[in-house]
Amino acid sequence: MTSRAVSPVFVGREVELEALGEAFDQARKQAMAAVLLGGEAGVGKTRLINRFVEQTGEVDVHVLIGGCVELSAEGLAYAPFTAALRQLVRETSAAEVAALLPEGAGRDLARLLPEFGEPSGDSETETARARLFELILMLLERLAERRPVVLVIEDIHWADRSSRDLIAFLSRNLRTSPVLMVMTYRSDELHRTHPLRPVLAELGRVDGVVRVELPRFTQDEVAAQMAGILGVTPELARVDTVFERSGGIPLFVEAILDSGDDCSVPDSLHDLILGSIERLPEETQRVLRTAAAGGVRVGHALLAAVSVLSGTELEDALRPAIAANVLQVADGGAYAFRHALIREAVHDELLPGEHARMHARYAEEIERDRSLVPPGRAVIEIAHHWYSARDDLWALISAWEAAGEAAMSFAYTEQIQLLERVLTLWDKVPDAAERLGVDYVTILERASEAAHVSGDMDRSLKFVRAALRELDENTAPERVAELLVRRANIKTQKGKPGALDDLRHAERLVPLPTEARAIVLTRLGTVLMAADERVEGATVTHEALRIARQMGDECQEADLLVNLALGHSMAGDMETTFMINERALAIGKRLDSPRIVLRALANNVDALDNLGRSEEAVALAVEGERLARRYGRYRHQGVFIANNRAEALASLGRWDEAIQVVEGAIRMGSAPRNRWHLLRVHAEIAIARGEEDLAREFLTEVGAFTPQRDEWAQERTNNARLLLAWHLMRGEPLDALEAAMGTLVDPPPSSKAMLGWRLFASIRLVCDAAEPVDARRAGALRARADELAAVMGGNGPVSEAFRLVYRGDFDAAARAWQRMGRPYVRAEALLQAAAGAAASGDREGASARLREAHPLATALRAAPLVTRIETLARRVGAQLNDAPVRRAAPAARTATPAALTRRELEVLRLVAAGRSNRDIAAELFISAKTVSVHVSNILPKLGVSTRAEAAAAAHRLSLLT
């Protein structure tokens, strides 16, 4: 009998166990915690994890374990999460797991695990994957409400793209639940282009994620391992030999000891691992080679079928391998190689013909009886084995079927890989179209759709272009139109020009009132409205509405109503916008369509904010985000609602809350345009607070510094306004003037309150700032702005308040902002009104306004605005609070000058700067005669007789600090 060369004693790893323990403690405090455990193959990652899990058993903790499966290049979609789900269902039941989630959510999980019943028939592919991610997140959070959860995911170097994306998503968003994620990977396999490398880099930037590298054993640790295996203390010379030959890798130590007392080691580690195999009976070796073709883990029934052995014959053949600890008996009547390296070494020994035959046998047997593999795995296993068998025909057919299965599981990136395999094999199978029942272009169309919904826009565009090259718009106009719509969507997502051109081309290809035309017109109307082409947008939208109503398609009718509401919004008619969105919302509720309900609700959050009802907007957004979570749509539509909530919070001056909302939404990994909307909200606050570096970072990402103009009015207008605020914050009025001129070269901006009129209010501030240095150009800008403002519409209190700012009626604007509870713009208007009062000689009026503005700006931590208020206060001699004027006294002086008033200190500061009485008078809005009186009072108080002596005394006595 061969002994098991595994130490019963756990050796070393104190530092790594401590790191895992600290991470677990952090997770139990409801703080994000994840550990990336890297190490070479065979270094003991699994053993360490098992030890850690044993230790966590001392507290009430729920441990879920899943592993990634190596299936050629495609991986097995969501394999670790499917395994963890299966464990959870075994521990409880599918019904209990589904009860933790929103009603009906279990049907989405059925795409991963059949135990949850029939999958939902939801065809909204663009949000399906995001919903699945949110459901997994919600499930972990619900489980963690009962007790802390440890989720172990092994071998993520084999993870499929969907699993990698889900791991990154969970790492970003498990922020306040007691969940610890522990992920292992082979660090020696991460070549420069390995797909896991960028994921590790991304996770390394997430707070709470730590990387632990598991080192090889030291010589003392190898000695301890040997003692545990041998049962006696090994001789020092033998330790030296084993340590040198094994390199300190525990798996190789075991293999060396298992090879015999003489420690004769083969030339390579591959041969070393095979050494223990070669001493087994020949029939056992043959069955092991068969098992290796099936993967690291293979079921008893499947292995018996492939090896053509009876149950008893198979058990007899495997018994020596199990006794030698080459194979282990796993749960579910399966056998697993003790280590993946052993399986790889055995599999590499297959001869070419043997390799093809074995994989073909697996494909045939699984095809014959799909219950031989775990539920949900048959299709991808068959595709893997036929491809490994180099059978082009069946590799093509099985890849096509597996691609469809991947799409049903929302594993779109794996679907793309399988479709690319179909495209590669297409020319090798003469009757491919007949075999699959589809043409070559259909494969390209499916691939482009999968890439689009997975967020890989460049890849999607590649497939669209390839499909368009294969089609003739004269013979297949509807297919070409559909591809042009997708290309327009890609350009929109990437912020590239040309979307409208593609959509107009598509519209010409489908002139008849068909479903295809309605789809094209719906998208064309959306883009036209967003581009502020309202007349054309309304025309095409009304036509699409007629078609939708003729077809009885209420869902599309609701979408088109939201499009019409968008047009009214861009025109500044927010009351009509709100009413039309309410009509769409009612349809959505009647149809039980979460997508429509959330879309209409999100747009009404924006409408309320534009109507000055920002508190209501925040409340509605909170309700919308709650619904989005319940529907499993937070990552897509919920993030859009969160953006609108952040905008309303920013309006109300609740800036810290707004930033929290922005940061939380960004962690969800939202689409680029949603991310840019969120960053603009944060950029606006950063500029208002004078956080220059942060603002520059955000403005760079959203493209505010680039000359290319976005086709969408909202992005274009907001970028322009932020750029003006950026230059004013930096004290660059001429640069702001130049940028403002560039915004007025096109037709009038949108009449929407928070877009066009807000921009015009900013232009007024630019003109006021630039006029003292370039009155001619500032005047030209005012004249051009007046022309455009004269034809702009817009109703409601927000439009009117911004209009008042633009016209210079700052006091009325401040009162309007006060009624709407908007402190920042109120403080800005008060400052402008104070400046006007000071210029007209009303110092008391200016002071009163500044005293009202100062606490507003201070509470917001709007440093640039606070500075401007305090500067003007000094110029007009206004006391902003009851605190006395602070003067730093010298460390020692023999006499203290008589107290100077605040005004005298202001005059002294300017005297010390070398300013004349006339200059001082202009600066402080007082007469030159009054300045002369102040100077006459200052000189005797300081005990000096000249202005130069006064300046010297002021510095000596630290009166200017």
Side-chain angles (χ1 to χ4, degrees):
M1 180 72 67
T2 306
S3 64
R4 297 186 177 213
V6 178
S7 173
V9 179
F10 185 82
V11 176
R13 308 310 194 197
E14 291 86 0
V15 173
E16 292 75 24
L17 278 172
E18 183 179 356
L20 288 166
E22 289 176 354
F24 182 52
D25 290 340
Q26 179 177 326
R28 291 170 67 190
K29 297 172 184 175
Q30 297 190 325
M32 167 59 199
V35 176
L36 294 165
L37 180 61
E40 298 171 85
V43 82
K45 298 181 291 296
T46 300
R47 187 77 185 270
L48 173 64
I49 293 299
N50 291 338
R51 180 67 170 180
F52 168 66
V53 169
E54 289 173 10
Q55 291 182 345
T56 61
E58 298 173 4
V59 297
D60 188 20
V61 60
H62 196 165
V63 179
L64 298 171
I65 300 177
C68 302
V69 179
E70 183 186 24
L71 281 183
S72 185
E74 68 270 12
L76 185 63
Y78 301 116
F81 299 98
T82 301
L85 267 178
R86 184 172 288 113
Q87 174 192 335
L88 193 57
V89 168
R90 282 200 308 268
E91 293 171 351
T92 56
S93 69
E96 288 186 55
V97 175
L100 296 172
L101 299 170
E103 184 178 353
R107 296 182 65 193
D108 277 338
L109 293 183
R111 298 172 186 273
L112 300 184
L113 211 60
E115 285 89 332
F116 289 98
E118 285 295 317
S120 64
D122 192 346
S123 59
E124 293 177 12
T125 54
E126 293 196 16
T127 59
R129 185 170 181 261
R131 290 202 312 276
L132 178 63
F133 282 22
E134 290 177 47
L135 288 177
I136 300 296
L137 172 64
M138 187 183 301
L139 178 58
L140 290 172
E141 290 174 335
R142 296 291 180 271
L143 290 171
E145 289 173 0
R146 301 173 172 180
R147 51 179 170 160
V149 172
V150 174
L151 174 61
V152 177
I153 304 177
E154 294 199 82
D155 299 320
I156 62 172
H157 53 278
W158 285 332
D160 58 285
R161 168 69 185 275
S162 295
S163 292
R164 294 196 301 270
D165 290 347
L166 181 48
I167 287 169
F169 173 78
L170 294 174
S171 298
R172 289 193 303 268
N173 290 283
L174 281 168
R175 311 297 298 179
T176 58
S177 296
V179 179
L180 170 65
M181 292 176 62
V182 181
M183 297 155 280
T184 71
Y185 63 94
R186 288 188 190 174
S187 55
D188 52 328
E189 288 204 2
L190 300 188
H191 52 77
R192 188 174 58 84
T193 59
H194 195 288
L196 184 61
R197 290 181 71 94
V199 178
L200 294 178
E202 177 187 351
L203 295 180
R205 295 189 290 270
V206 176
D207 289 341
V209 176
V210 296
R211 290 181 70 165
V212 176
E213 192 69 23
L214 196 60
R216 298 182 178 193
F217 273 170
T218 64
Q219 185 162 342
D220 288 343
E221 289 169 333
V222 167
Q225 182 190 8
M226 292 173 64
I229 293 172
L230 299 172
V232 296
T233 302
E235 297 175 359
L236 183 58
R238 192 176 188 194
V239 172
D240 290 341
T241 303
V242 172
F243 177 70
E244 180 182 350
R245 299 296 178 86
S246 69
I249 294 180
L251 179 67
F252 298 155
V253 172
E254 295 171 0
I256 290 171
L257 294 182
D258 195 43
S259 67
D261 291 339
D262 58 359
C263 278
S264 57
V265 181
D267 292 335
S268 69
L269 294 175
H270 175 85
D271 293 337
L272 170 62
I273 293 172
L274 289 176
S276 60
I277 308 294
E278 291 171 349
R279 292 195 301 277
L280 296 172
E282 182 58 38
E283 181 64 8
T284 301
Q285 294 184 46
R286 185 185 72 81
V287 175
L288 284 176
R289 289 195 296 273
T290 303
V296 173
R297 177 189 176 108
V298 60
H300 175 88
L302 176 58
L303 185 56
V306 173
S307 62
V308 198
L309 294 174
S310 68
T312 302
E313 291 170 335
L314 180 61
E315 290 165 358
D316 289 341
L318 291 179
R319 201 173 302 278
I322 294 171
N325 204 29
V326 173
L327 279 185
Q328 295 175 338
V329 178
D331 294 337
Y335 303 107
F337 283 91
R338 179 165 59 86
H339 197 283
L341 281 177
I342 299 174
R343 180 259 166 189
E344 292 167 15
V346 175
H347 187 262
D348 288 346
E349 287 299 294
L350 290 172
L351 298 173
E354 189 180 22
H355 181 280
R357 286 195 306 274
M358 288 296 174
H359 282 286
R361 289 285 300 131
Y362 272 102
E364 290 165 349
E365 292 301 329
I366 297 171
E367 183 66 65
R368 183 182 59 80
D369 182 1
R370 299 195 173 196
S371 67
L372 291 172
V373 295
R377 286 182 54 169
V379 172
I380 188 64
E381 293 261 11
I382 292 168
H384 162 68
H385 287 300
W386 279 126
Y387 189 64
S388 298
R390 300 294 186 264
D391 187 312
D392 292 339
L393 171 60
W394 289 106
L396 174 87
I397 294 172
S398 59
W400 173 245
E401 183 184 0
E405 189 78 9
M408 288 294 294
S409 299
F410 311 141
Y412 301 118
T413 48
E414 289 65 43
Q415 180 191 8
I416 296 167
Q417 292 172 328
L418 290 160
L419 290 173
E420 287 179 328
R421 180 182 297 175
V422 173
L423 293 171
T424 300
L425 294 170
W426 190 272
D427 290 336
K428 298 180 180 180
V429 180
D431 56 346
E434 290 75 14
R435 292 280 187 172
L436 301 185
V438 296
D439 61 10
Y440 185 77
V441 174
T442 299
I443 312 298
L444 292 168
E445 289 169 337
R446 299 279 179 88
S448 72
E449 180 184 11
H452 188 268
V453 298
S454 68
D456 193 341
M457 297 302 157
D458 291 331
R459 213 170 181 184
S460 181
L461 185 58
K462 180 190 74 172
F463 291 125
V464 168
R465 287 169 174 165
L468 287 172
R469 286 195 297 268
E470 297 286 331
L471 292 174
D472 182 346
E473 65 181 46
N474 295 313
T475 58
E478 289 193 358
R479 293 183 80 175
V480 172
E482 182 181 350
L483 287 165
L484 288 172
V485 170
R486 181 163 298 140
R487 189 167 74 181
N489 290 341
I490 294 169
K491 290 177 179 178
T492 298
Q493 287 291 329
K494 290 172 64 66
K496 301 295 184 183
L500 269 176
D501 293 338
D502 279 342
L503 291 169
R504 288 188 170 117
H505 184 186
E507 184 268 334
R508 292 192 296 271
L509 293 175
V510 284
L512 298 178
T514 61
E515 181 182 3
R517 180 168 179 79
I519 291 172
V520 172
L521 291 179
T522 299
R523 186 58 189 161
L524 176 59
T526 301
V527 175
L528 285 168
M529 296 297 193
D532 206 18
E533 300 283 350
R534 299 190 298 274
V535 175
E536 185 182 358
T539 300
V540 300
T541 301
H542 280 295
E543 181 185 349
L545 261 174
R546 287 194 297 272
I547 298 173
R549 285 166 177 161
Q550 288 169 4
M551 295 188 302
D553 190 340
E554 284 192 287
C555 187
Q556 189 167 30
E557 178 184 351
D559 273 326
L560 290 162
L561 285 174
V562 176
N563 285 0
L564 281 180
L566 175 60
H568 286 287
S569 173
M570 300 303 287
D573 185 357
M574 304 313 300
E575 294 288 356
T576 302
T577 297
F578 190 86
M579 289 188 294
I580 295 177
N581 280 327
E582 286 290 295
R583 287 170 56 194
L585 181 63
I587 294 175
K589 289 180 177 178
R590 188 172 69 253
L591 297 178
D592 195 21
S593 171
R595 182 182 61 80
I596 293 172
V597 167
L598 294 176
R599 187 181 178 210
L601 189 150
N603 287 357
N604 265 353
V605 173
D606 177 69
L608 287 171
D609 190 41
N610 275 269
L611 284 167
R613 296 158 60 183
S614 300
E615 293 284 3
E616 293 177 63
V618 171
L620 183 60
V622 169
E623 170 63 13
E625 290 176 73
R626 185 189 65 80
L627 287 174
R629 288 190 176 92
R630 196 183 89 190
Y631 295 145
R633 290 173 172 268
Y634 192 87
R635 193 180 181 199
H636 183 67
Q637 290 181 281
V639 164
F640 188 77
I641 296 173
N643 173 77
N644 288 351
R645 175 158 69 108
E647 290 179 348
L649 288 169
S651 297
L652 293 167
R654 292 159 62 178
W655 288 356
D656 292 333
E657 289 180 66
I659 291 171
Q660 287 180 345
V661 171
V662 166
E663 291 176 342
I666 286 177
R667 282 197 301 270
M668 298 298 289
S670 55
R673 280 200 177 270
N674 279 349
R675 175 180 171 83
W676 298 336
H677 289 321
L678 291 161
L679 289 180
R680 288 186 182 97
V681 177
H682 202 164
E684 176 188 338
I685 296 171
I687 291 171
R689 284 181 165 168
E691 297 167 340
E692 188 171 328
D693 291 341
L694 195 61
R696 180 187 291 107
E697 175 188 336
F698 295 151
L699 294 182
T700 299
E701 182 169 345
V702 303
F705 294 132
T706 60
Q708 180 177 321
R709 294 171 61 81
D710 199 297
E711 288 184 343
W712 289 41
Q714 180 167 319
E715 283 79 354
R716 183 173 66 242
T717 305
N718 282 332
N719 274 2
R721 177 180 54 79
L722 288 171
L723 187 59
L724 301 187
W726 163 264
H727 287 307
L728 291 180
M729 182 263 294
R730 286 165 53 88
E732 301 167 344
L734 293 182
D735 290 329
L737 186 67
E738 184 71 28
M741 291 296 289
T743 66
L744 302 182
V745 296
D746 288 338
S750 162
S751 297
K752 186 176 180 179
M754 296 294 284
L755 288 181
W757 281 113
R758 193 179 187 190
L759 173 64
F760 270 63
S762 297
I763 289 174
R764 169 65 191 232
L765 301 182
V766 170
C767 290
D768 289 350
E771 194 164 34
V773 289
D774 195 334
R776 183 187 63 79
R777 293 177 64 209
L781 176 60
R782 285 186 198 274
R784 175 58 179 158
D786 286 344
E787 292 175 11
L788 296 178
V791 297
M792 284 176 62
N795 57 38
V798 179
S799 294
E800 181 57 29
F802 279 127
R803 191 182 285 113
L804 289 170
V805 172
Y806 176 70
R807 292 172 178 169
D809 192 348
F810 297 113
D811 283 318
R815 290 191 295 272
W817 294 133
Q818 183 177 16
R819 288 192 294 272
M820 288 181 272
R822 301 194 174 192
Y824 183 75
V825 283
R826 177 186 166 201
E828 178 75 56
L830 287 167
L831 172 60
Q832 297 300 321
S840 66
D842 181 9
R843 287 189 290 148
E844 287 303 317
S847 299
R849 293 171 176 86
L850 293 173
R851 282 192 290 272
E852 186 179 347
H854 190 260
L856 297 173
T858 301
L860 293 168
R861 303 199 306 279
L865 183 57
V866 169
T867 299
R868 289 164 56 206
I869 292 170
E870 291 177 348
T871 298
L872 182 58
R874 286 194 297 269
R875 291 172 62 191
V876 300
Q879 181 144 352
L880 296 176
N881 51 51
D882 296 330
V885 178
R886 290 176 296 175
R887 292 202 307 267
R893 61 189 185 194
T894 57
T896 301
L900 296 175
T901 66
R902 178 183 289 273
R903 172 60 78 195
E904 287 167 349
L905 282 170
E906 287 298 316
V907 172
L908 176 59
R909 177 178 62 83
L910 295 171
V911 167
R915 307 287 286 277
S916 68
N917 284 1
R918 186 179 297 276
D919 291 337
I920 296 171
E923 175 78 9
L924 299 181
F925 298 102
I926 56 181
S927 68
K929 183 176 180 180
T930 301
V931 174
S932 178
V933 171
H934 283 309
V935 172
S936 298
N937 291 333
I938 289 168
L939 296 180
K941 287 183 178 182
L942 294 179
V944 297
S945 57
T946 67
R947 295 168 73 97
E949 290 174 349
H955 288 293
R956 184 180 71 253
L957 299 174
S958 301
L959 297 178
L960 304 180
T961 59

